Amino acid sequence: MRRIAINTGGGDAPGLNAVIRATVLAATNRGWEVVGIENGYAGLLPDAEGGLVPLTPERVRGITHLGGTILGSTNRRNPLEWERRQADGSIERRDRSEEVLEAFRRHGLDALIAIGGDGSLHIAADLAEKGLPVVGIPKTIDNDLAATTLTFGFLTAVETATHAIDRLHSTAESHQRVFVVEVMGASTGWIALFSGLAGTADVILIPEIPYDTEVVCDKVAERERSGRHFSIICVAEGSTPVGGKVTMKTVPAGRERLPRIGGIGSLVADEIAERTGKETRSLVLGHLQRGGPPNAYDRLIALRFGAAAVRCAAEGNFGCMVGLDPPHVRAVPLADALSEVKSVPLDSDIILTARAIGTSFGD
Ligand code: F6P
């Protein structure tokens, strides 16, 4: 092993820079050279945005606590389905994986440390099947990757959402209002569950438990009767009413952008206002949850993942992902990590705790 590459793909998450620093330091301490591929895989393709940047210990100095990624990231540049807009406005998709493999050989790269969530690690797994020596590192604020107890970025997002809910309490109480806070999480409810419980939301709505609006309104009414004239509802963006569908954000025509989950918060707020007559407001925390410095725990997981990925490369263990299995960090086959979306188990202690203290899930 002489020269390895790192890239960061998908939505950014707090802790990316900490992983980059740990990887670079652990690799250079073994005498390896490290380069960063900018903007996912784009930096390997001559006509795309970015290139390769040398990552020396000096370059990664002082970045552990910084949000974002010094390499740039994208959730729209899949080399296996590279999109190009045609003259007539239609989108052409083509597989450019051979070009990626060829660029890898041309630059004398011996391994790739791919830091990403579900989408980016699927790309990494496909490239691994085509012969690229890859080690994956699980990143996402959503915490929805299997084969790891936690993904880095998640706990910082939970902290951001919890602080937001804390701040809403005073306004909700002063104005005797209902507040609906929509948090991210894609098709899972990890962020909503953790931040809703920590922030003492009265109702937590998650995709794993379809809700009944009537039950949500009953909870608001019950609080009203007991003299609590405000309520906080924490809703995961992927939540659905019983028998309903996931709400998708509308994408302006002609924009090269994936349709995104989101918008459920205002629907829930409108229904509560209509049915209870209470003044109700909604807010979407959105990308605030992805930004800012990683908390101490995310820094630690990120640093451990970076060092563990370098150990895997040194052992020639490729096609794997490092995952947290407390107190260990272990390598698991990428296929295992991608075999399913890690949803919140309905019998998890955290759900039992919330139910035991009277939190409603709208069911
Ligand atoms: O997967 C991370 C995530 O932040 C999800 O929670 C969210 O649904 C999505 O990405 C938002 O993506 P974008 O940055 O493209 O709006």
Side-chain angles (χ1 to χ4, degrees):
M1 196 64 49
R2 282 196 308 271
R3 195 162 194 249
I4 64 166
I6 315 180
N7 70 353
T8 53
D12 67 341
L16 281 167
N17 285 322
V19 181
I20 294 171
R21 176 167 166 267
T23 308
V24 169
L25 295 182
T28 50
N29 283 340
R30 287 177 183 266
W32 305 351
E33 205 185 315
V34 186
V35 296
I37 306 168
E38 290 180 313
N39 306 321
Y41 293 88
L44 285 173
L45 300 170
D47 56 329
E49 317 77 22
L52 292 187
V53 288
L55 291 177
T56 58
E58 292 69 39
R59 179 64 189 91
V60 298
R61 193 172 282 156
I63 64 169
T64 300
H65 65 293
L66 299 180
T69 159
I70 59 167
L71 293 176
S73 194
T74 173
N75 52 14
R76 285 187 290 141
R77 286 308 205 187
N78 179 350
L80 288 107
E81 289 174 25
W82 195 263
E83 295 186 352
R84 205 171 60 179
R85 177 176 294 281
Q86 306 292 93
D88 65 358
S90 64
I91 304 286
E92 176 216 60
R93 286 190 181 80
R94 65 194 169 108
D95 181 355
R96 300 188 70 182
S97 55
E98 279 310 321
E99 287 176 70
V100 167
L101 296 178
E102 204 284 310
F104 228 76
R105 285 190 288 271
R106 193 162 18 95
H107 291 291
L109 297 167
D110 300 312
L112 171 68
I113 310 283
I115 312 169
D118 171 47
S120 312
L121 293 181
H122 265 107
I123 297 171
D126 287 344
L127 294 173
E129 266 194 24
K130 290 174 186 275
L132 198 76
V134 182
V135 180
I137 297 185
K139 163 248 51 164
T140 166
I141 64 162
D142 304 333
N143 196 37
D144 58 356
L145 277 168
T148 184
T149 311
L150 288 172
T151 53
F152 73 83
F154 166 65
L155 290 175
T156 305
V158 166
E159 209 163 282
T160 302
T162 303
H163 289 160
I165 297 170
D166 285 348
R167 283 168 183 268
L168 277 178
H169 263 98
S170 49
T171 305
E173 189 156 14
S174 306
H175 288 262
Q176 307 198 341
R177 284 178 180 165
V178 176
F179 268 95
V180 180
V181 191
E182 179 183 312
V183 297
M184 282 185 169
S187 61
T188 65
W190 293 101
I191 299 177
L193 180 61
F194 277 51
S195 62
L197 184 57
T200 69
D202 306 295
V203 180
I204 300 173
L205 303 180
I206 59 175
E208 291 84 348
I209 307 178
Y211 66 88
D212 178 341
T213 313
E214 209 54 56
V215 176
V216 176
C217 293
D218 285 350
K219 178 71 181 178
V220 172
E222 173 202 311
R223 283 177 55 76
E224 196 70 23
R225 284 194 298 276
S226 66
R228 306 292 277 157
H229 300 295
F230 71 96
S231 291
I232 306 263
I233 324 282
C234 180
V235 53
E237 61 182 354
S239 304
T240 56
V242 176
K245 283 205 300 251
V246 173
T247 319
M248 303 299 282
K249 285 178 196 152
T250 46
V251 182
R255 292 263 309 275
E256 287 174 50
R257 195 172 179 281
L258 299 170
R260 284 286 172 209
I261 296 172
I264 185 73
S266 69
L267 295 182
V268 171
D270 288 350
E271 287 189 24
I272 293 174
E274 203 179 301
R275 293 186 193 213
T276 66
K278 291 275 309 169
E279 202 178 354
T280 306
R281 297 280 189 275
S282 70
L283 82 158
V284 180
L285 291 189
H287 297 82
L288 281 177
Q289 295 158 96
R290 296 223 304 246
N295 69 12
Y297 199 78
D298 272 337
R299 292 181 203 188
L300 290 173
I301 313 177
L303 294 168
R304 292 176 66 194
F305 280 172
V310 169
R311 280 200 301 276
C312 287
E315 289 160 8
N317 185 5
F318 295 115
C320 67
M321 178 191 91
V322 295
L324 188 66
D325 176 15
H328 307 285
V329 171
R330 298 189 198 281
V332 287
L334 264 173
D336 289 4
L338 298 170
S339 60
E340 55 170 8
V341 172
K342 184 181 70 189
S343 298
V344 175
L346 296 185
D347 60 352
S348 64
D349 182 69
I350 196 141
I351 289 202
L352 298 182
T353 303
R355 288 198 192 277
I357 64 173
T359 311
S360 168
F361 286 95
D363 60 340

